[in-house]
Amino acid sequence: MTLIKTKVGRRSFLKTSAAAGGGMLIGFNWLTSCSSLTKEAEGVAIPNEWFEINGYIKIGDTGMVTIYSPNPEIGQNVMTSMPMIVAEELDVPWENVVVEQGALDEDSFKNPQFAGGSLSIMMAWDALRMAGAAGKRMLMEAAAKEWGVPVADLTASEGVISEKNGSRTVDYGKIASKAAGIEVPEELDLKDPKDYKLIGSWQKNVEGPKIVTGKPLFGLDFKKEGMKLAMIQHPPAFGMKVKGFNEDEIKSMSGVSDAFIVDTSIEKPAWSDVNAFNQLIAIVGNSTWELMQAKKALKVDWEKVSEPESSEMHEQRMIRDLERGRVQDSRSDGNVEAAFARAAKVVERTYSSPFMAHNTLEPMNFYANVMADKAELIGPTQTPQALRDSAVQLLGIPADNISVEMTRIGGGFGRRLYNHTGLEAAAISQKAGVPIKLIYTREDDMTQGTYRPPYRSVYKAALDKDNNLIAFSVKGVGLPEGPVFPNRFPAGAVDNYLAEKKMSSTNISTGAWRAPRSHFTAGAEQCFLDEVAEAAGKDPIDFRLELFDKAKNSPVGAKYEYDADRYAGVLRLVKEKANWGAETPGIHRGVAAYFCHNSYVAQVMDVAIENNQPKVKKVWCAVDCGIVINKEGAANIIQGGVVDGIGHALYSQLTFDNGSPVQNNFDKYKLIRHNQAPESIEVFFVDNDIRPTGLGEPGLPPAVGALANALYKATGTRLYHQPFSNSSVSLNLG
């Protein structure tokens, strides 16, 4: 058992009150955390008084526990895993735990309410354990007082308090009202990980039944009486803006109640306000069909405000700025130039990847009801506080009078970190004077921007006469941000090392995309390391393990970001589980490993060629993300990342012609199909007691490299440029 001080003091960390019906309410401060939980409450006694604090645990006289979650749910399954943490420390049966979405209130939560960066579990770990442990202690103290015995003479398990040397027992629900006045102790006993019963188990998604039965959970499901629908038309090309349109004609069309130009520009935009098209046409009406007909009838006067760009321009700009671009970050160990000059072998390769769209399954949407002195915003957002902050500027309404409610999100991947749809809905509602729900078509979404940037990197390695790696360099550029992480592997493992992250420019808006930068860099780096290992005549896993041994035992230069032992550990684990080295006729194997979001993932991928097309037969994944809360959800999210990585590496690309995206729907922008997904994906977690780290994104990046390395074994041709379906490999990848 671990003794932990509440640190922030009793009053600021936890407060209690008697709940309606005799239960106990525990509110806890998320000062040390940043995450969320949700689950629907059914048959639970709900208190009618709430403390204005940061998060809540309710214990009713039924003995059930409700946890309010501050953060959005984007499919990462925190609605299941976060309550498990509380239930573990509270020692309550899992079936007694229910969860609800919390309201936006960062002042009370003392914690950013967002979903992104694979941060949820990692940052909420301590706060949730303390909340559960505090509740358990308070219940035990109440029982001790009731029975006139020391609390040390009691034990609690499965929602029942018992005397250690007696026969008396009491359910949590029956003692909860008497625990409400108990002071929170200065120190709390937290379980030793070896004693966990719920944490580390396999639990189904608590919202699974509602999802598969079509319950209205998502923003697109939301309806309110008196609500109108709205659609928008933004410029057809980047570098253009709207001057005017046939407003009277559009207003006269069937089902259209209003049409006008809105401007969502604000004086002090935040990073989440990325938007190339602040001025756009809004059409308000009764149905999406009627609004789409009105969009087709638009006659717009567009104005050019900057030079339109093409994909050819982007490629040439990145080639230029690989040499001349501004260096954003770098690392240099030893003397790279001298090492290359004396090398016996030099391997140099260039890798690239295009713009990519997020393509969330749920179309972009948001509800807004803006009145004279208040506003109500409801919809799928990963950054609700940022939306409210920007809405304050846009609407001129105080923050206290703007509510933002979070719906379940049908796909985020970084797309809904950016709040233009919420602001557009607010601007439309304010101008139309009615509540509206804004809905994007797929074409609206795919041509709006906020894309994953394109990247280009040049890798170079030097081997001596004994095939030892003596120098390594990488220079990478993106539009605008470069993809290189100078202090990640193989930094610290090579005597002569140079890494430069460079930037370029574009008028096309870009943003975060699942595993930002890592998605490209992992694929490029892991393909290159395989090629260097081949040039050295070494097994690709053994070659990597040699470098990790160097980083651990004879590190070079300044501190690097990764833990060499944990990195090597996932490689050894996947090597064992996949029986690396065994050969099967017709099966071609690739391997990759990557560190990002504080976690380590290694993958072995088996590919066969069937009907002249590659078919991923099986993938083995070894994952070190510290303590795994819910293995069911954790395995699912790694499997999803693998499928995502394979599909985008094979097919995804956005190209531009005179400033306009060429691909604007799924007839032109191909995604992986069900029959192209791996036949089997096995996930193995490293068992350790390290506090949890990120999981939502780390499963995707190594899939790109493992796929490319397997395809090389299948075809004899290396793949350097995504999407791989554009390559000259003699396979029908389309």
Side-chain angles (χ1 to χ4, degrees), residues 259-478:
F260 42 79
I261 294 173
V262 294
D263 190 336
T264 59
S265 302
I266 55 178
E267 184 178 352
K268 297 178 180 179
W271 65 267
S272 55
D273 292 313
V274 170
N275 191 358
F277 306 123
N278 284 308
Q279 295 83 29
L280 38 79
I281 298 166
I283 309 173
V284 180
N286 299 325
S287 71
T288 53
W289 173 255
E290 289 166 317
L291 293 177
M292 285 190 281
Q293 301 315 302
K295 285 185 64 172
K296 291 176 182 178
L298 282 170
K299 299 169 186 173
V300 187
D301 183 11
W302 303 110
E303 176 185 3
K304 186 169 81 170
V305 293
S306 64
E307 199 61 35
E309 300 178 359
S310 66
S311 293
E312 291 75 17
M313 290 173 61
H314 296 150
E315 183 177 8
Q316 292 305 312
R317 190 176 296 164
M318 287 196 292
I319 291 172
R320 178 199 70 192
D321 289 339
L322 261 175
E323 299 302 322
R324 295 163 42 188
R326 179 171 70 84
V327 177
Q328 296 175 283
D329 194 11
S330 66
R331 174 180 175 135
S332 180
D333 297 326
N335 188 329
V336 169
E337 290 187 8
F340 279 122
R342 68 174 186 271
K345 297 177 187 175
V346 174
V347 181
E348 183 174 359
R349 298 292 183 263
T350 299
Y351 300 84
S352 68
S353 184
F355 280 102
M356 291 185 188
H358 296 81
N359 285 325
T360 60
L361 184 60
E362 179 189 15
M364 304 299 287
N365 67 90
F366 229 90
Y367 169 87
N369 183 13
V370 179
M371 293 153 276
D373 58 352
K374 63 181 180 179
E376 179 185 33
L377 306 177
I378 301 173
T381 172
Q382 294 178 241
T383 51
Q385 181 62 49
L387 172 58
R388 181 158 66 183
D389 291 343
S390 296
V392 168
Q393 295 186 62
L394 179 70
L395 302 174
I397 296 175
D400 289 346
N401 292 350
I402 299 176
S403 66
V404 178
E405 295 182 32
M406 295 162 270
T407 62
R408 188 180 179 94
I409 299 174
F413 315 116
R415 180 69 173 93
R416 289 183 162 101
L417 291 168
Y418 307 97
N419 285 312
H420 61 89
T421 48
L423 292 180
E424 289 161 7
I428 295 168
S429 175
Q430 186 178 52
K431 192 159 185 174
V434 295
I436 63 97
K437 182 165 77 173
L438 171 64
I439 300 175
Y440 270 32
T441 65
R442 184 62 60 185
E443 289 85 357
D444 293 332
D445 178 30
M446 289 189 66
T447 59
Q448 188 274 337
T450 325
Y451 306 121
R452 197 216 74 168
Y455 298 115
R456 190 177 188 89
S457 289
V458 175
Y459 286 78
K460 190 175 181 181
L463 300 171
D464 65 14
K465 60 181 179 60
D466 297 318
N467 287 320
N468 297 308
L469 181 64
I470 59 172
F472 186 99
S473 73
V474 56
K475 297 179 181 180
V477 68

Side-chain angles (χ1 to χ4, degrees), residues 611-614 651 670 676 725 729-734:
N611 300 319
N612 204 36
Q613 291 191 359
Y651 303 117
K670 186 171 182 179
Q676 297 168 316
S725 57
V729 174
S730 57
L731 291 172
N732 179 21
L733 293 176

Side-chain angles (χ1 to χ4, degrees), residues 710-727:
L711 287 174
Y712 165 67
K713 295 292 182 65
T715 66
T717 301
R718 294 279 181 187
L719 297 169
Y720 302 107
H721 307 290
Q722 295 181 46
F724 299 152
S725 57
N726 285 355
S727 74

Side-chain angles (χ1 to χ4, degrees), residues 149-224:
V149 298
V151 72
D153 290 349
L154 304 181
T155 184
S157 179
E158 295 297 306
V160 178
I161 299 169
S162 307
E163 286 183 291
K164 290 180 179 177
N165 300 308
S167 60
R168 285 180 291 187
T169 63
V170 63
D171 294 344
Y172 281 2
K174 290 183 173 60
I175 199 69
S177 62
K178 295 178 181 178
I182 301 292
E183 265 199 346
V184 179
E186 290 286 356
E187 295 181 334
L188 294 169
D189 290 326
L190 299 181
K191 288 185 177 181
D192 189 301
K194 68 179 175 58
D195 297 324
Y196 289 157
K197 293 179 285 186
L198 184 57
I199 289 176
S201 64
W202 296 74
Q203 301 294 334
K204 295 294 183 183
N205 185 331
V206 295
E207 292 229 312
K210 289 187 284 187
I211 294 169
V212 300
T213 54
K215 296 293 189 295
L217 304 173
F218 301 93
L220 203 60
D221 297 325
F222 182 80
K223 295 178 182 178
K224 209 162 191 177

Side-chain angles (χ1 to χ4, degrees), residues 584-589 605-618 679 707 710-711 714 731 733:
T584 303
I587 296 296
H588 313 279
R589 295 193 135 181
M605 193 174 295
D606 279 2
V607 171
I609 305 303
E610 298 177 354
N611 300 319
N612 204 36
Q613 291 191 359
K615 175 64 179 176
V616 179
K617 306 297 285 186
K618 186 166 184 176
E679 293 181 0
L707 174 65
L711 287 174
L731 291 172
L733 293 176

Side-chain angles (χ1 to χ4, degrees), residues 22-79:
M24 178 177 69
L25 176 93
I26 307 173
F28 61 96
N29 191 321
W30 291 57
L31 287 172
T32 58
S33 69
C34 166
S35 195
S36 64
L37 335 152
T38 57
K39 190 177 173 185
E40 188 177 50
E42 296 178 358
V44 182
I46 304 296
N48 57 18
E49 180 182 3
W50 304 102
F51 285 97
E52 294 295 329
I53 10 189
N54 300 340
Y56 305 94
I57 300 173
K58 296 184 296 190
I59 301 179
D61 56 10
T62 60
M64 296 194 76
V65 180
T66 297
I67 302 166
Y68 274 108
S69 165
N71 288 23
E73 168 62 60
I74 57 173
Q76 76 278 50
N77 206 21
V78 294
M79 298 163 71

Side-chain angles (χ1 to χ4, degrees), residues 448-663:
Q448 188 274 337
T450 325
Y451 306 121
R452 197 216 74 168
Y455 298 115
R456 190 177 188 89
S457 289
V458 175
Y459 286 78
K460 190 175 181 181
L463 300 171
D464 65 14
K465 60 181 179 60
D466 297 318
N467 287 320
N468 297 308
L469 181 64
I470 59 172
F472 186 99
S473 73
V474 56
K475 297 179 181 180
V477 68
L479 297 178
E481 183 184 25
V484 176
F485 297 89
N487 293 309
R488 288 189 185 174
F489 183 73
V494 186
D495 290 331
N496 304 285
Y497 174 85
L498 175 66
E500 292 183 338
K501 172 189 172 186
K502 297 187 174 184
M503 69 180 302
S504 189
S505 61
T506 180
N507 67 2
I508 295 170
S509 61
T510 61
W513 191 98
R514 191 176 188 181
R517 296 161 52 211
S518 293
H519 166 236
F520 167 74
T521 294
E525 170 199 287
Q526 292 297 302
C527 290
F528 184 67
L529 287 173
D530 252 45
E531 193 161 354
V532 175
E534 185 179 54
K538 298 179 180 179
D539 175 86
I541 292 182
D542 292 342
F543 177 69
R544 290 166 171 82
L545 291 175
E546 286 179 13
L547 294 175
F548 290 130
D549 186 65
K550 168 85 171 177
K552 177 185 175 182
N553 297 313
S554 305
V556 179
K559 186 177 180 180
Y560 48 84
E561 292 183 16
Y562 58 93
D563 182 313
D565 265 343
R566 295 178 71 187
Y567 217 148
V570 291
L571 261 176
R572 292 192 178 98
L573 180 59
V574 83
K575 179 180 182 180
E576 172 198 338
K577 296 299 183 181
N579 194 20
W580 181 263
E583 294 190 6
T584 303
I587 296 296
H588 313 279
R589 295 193 135 181
V591 65
Y594 198 67
F595 161 78
C596 68
H597 300 85
N598 300 289
S599 294
Y600 305 80
V601 179
Q603 296 173 5
V604 168
M605 193 174 295
D606 279 2
V607 171
I609 305 303
E610 298 177 354
N611 300 319
N612 204 36
Q613 291 191 359
K615 175 64 179 176
V616 179
K617 306 297 285 186
K618 186 166 184 176
V619 184
W620 292 262
C621 306
V623 182
D624 186 347
C625 59
I627 295 169
V628 180
I629 312 304
N630 177 19
K631 289 183 178 176
E632 173 89 10
N636 289 345
I637 205 164
I638 291 294
Q639 291 165 336
V642 170
V643 176
D644 215 11
I646 291 170
H648 288 295
L650 284 173
Y651 303 117
S652 292
Q653 72 169 342
L654 274 176
T655 58
F656 293 84
D657 182 15
N658 201 32
S660 296
V662 174
Q663 298 80 14

